[in-house]
Amino acid sequence: MEEDTPQAARDALAHRLRKRLAMSTDAMLAAELAAVGQVLDWEKVNEVTVAGRRHRVVRADTFARFSEDGPEPPRPSDPDTGTGGQSRDEGVVVDPGSVTGPAQALTRVELLTAYYPSARVPAEVYADSVAAIRSHPDGVLLPTEYAVSELVGGGWEPVSHHHASPQAARDQLCFKFRYMMPRFGQLGEEEIAAYGRAADKVDATRANEVTVLGRRFRVTRVIALLRFGMDGPEPPRASDYDPEPPPEAHFSDLRARGLLPEPQ
């Protein structure tokens, strides 16, 4: 669950299959892998079968709890030792029939009936979210994630990818302050120094919130739900943001428009 769009997930699947192709000594398997790779290079398909094994691009909804003061920060009981190199999903078995604790079971039941607010999203996004409650009524909670949010215009907006631990999110925030803001923020020397001091403060105190130059940032706790139906986990919805074409289709279009030379 590390990609931002369905096409990015398709590309990641194609990459995994190519690595398997490079190591294969079975001619029939190699031919099947090559054929599936061609399909993924040209078409937006969300499921393929290779050697009898089904592979599916799936989606997960993410949620954050809110109080009057904003989104929930990490809890004292959350594991907080690791940095950005971890994979939070490694070894996780997504089985909606598995036994869970009472707290996780209650959270899952609460989220399974959730849908997007009609006033805040396009009509097709709202309709798809409501339909998913019926088509994929079961689900699995994935390991808790952490992201950096910023208070903007009275609302909180995510400003980082999700991370496996609070510390990984803090590290990302400090990287933004020390390296990204000075290079791309069009800042003066005093402003750059202020962001540097804020990063030092986060490093020294492991703070989950920091305010710098009037901007308020918070490490936020994120819950992810993978919905399941009778046929397995939910694939991408028609209304999901998916702007990129498959790579070969994209290159072909560029060549047809004279923006990319023909391959030699």
Side-chain angles (χ1 to χ4, degrees), residues 102-131:
Q104 189 178 52
L106 287 171
T107 300
R108 184 173 69 173
V109 169
E110 179 185 11
L111 296 182
L112 282 172
T113 58
Y115 51 86
Y116 295 136
S118 60
R120 297 186 181 182
V121 297
E124 61 273 18
V125 174
Y126 169 75
D128 281 352
S129 70
V130 172

Side-chain angles (χ1 to χ4, degrees), residues 101-211:
Q104 189 178 52
L106 287 171
T107 300
R108 184 173 69 173
V109 169
E110 179 185 11
L111 296 182
L112 282 172
T113 58
Y115 51 86
Y116 295 136
S118 60
R120 297 186 181 182
V121 297
E124 61 273 18
V125 174
Y126 169 75
D128 281 352
S129 70
V130 172
I133 297 174
R134 299 188 299 272
S135 63
H136 294 79
D138 210 341
V140 172
L141 292 179
L142 299 177
T144 302
E145 307 165 316
Y146 306 88
V148 178
S149 301
E150 181 182 3
L151 182 61
V152 179
W156 290 85
E157 297 181 359
V159 293
S160 80
H161 289 287
H162 297 167
H163 297 276
S165 70
Q167 186 56 46
R170 293 185 203 104
D171 291 342
Q172 178 65 38
L173 180 61
C174 291
F175 180 84
K176 175 185 177 72
F177 285 174
R178 289 191 177 111
Y179 302 104
M180 303 301 291
M181 296 301 295
R183 295 188 181 187
F184 303 106
Q186 298 180 331
L187 305 177
E189 290 187 7
E190 291 186 1
E191 294 169 308
I192 291 174
Y195 279 106
R197 289 192 298 271
D200 291 342
K201 177 181 177 181
V202 172
D203 276 344
T205 64
R206 296 169 66 91
N208 291 319
E209 184 168 322
V210 62
T211 298

Side-chain angles (χ1 to χ4, degrees), residues 15-16 25 59 65 80 91 95 102 105 123 130 133 155 192 194 202 243:
H15 178 68
R16 290 188 61 164
T25 57
R59 75 186 308 280
R65 293 188 178 277
D80 193 14
D95 177 11
V130 172
I133 297 174
I192 291 174
V202 172

Side-chain angles (χ1 to χ4, degrees), residues 15-25 29-30 33-34:
H15 178 68
R16 290 188 61 164
L17 295 180
R18 285 194 183 91
K19 288 175 64 176
R20 189 175 174 191
L21 173 61
M23 296 183 292
S24 175
T25 57
L29 175 60
L33 287 165

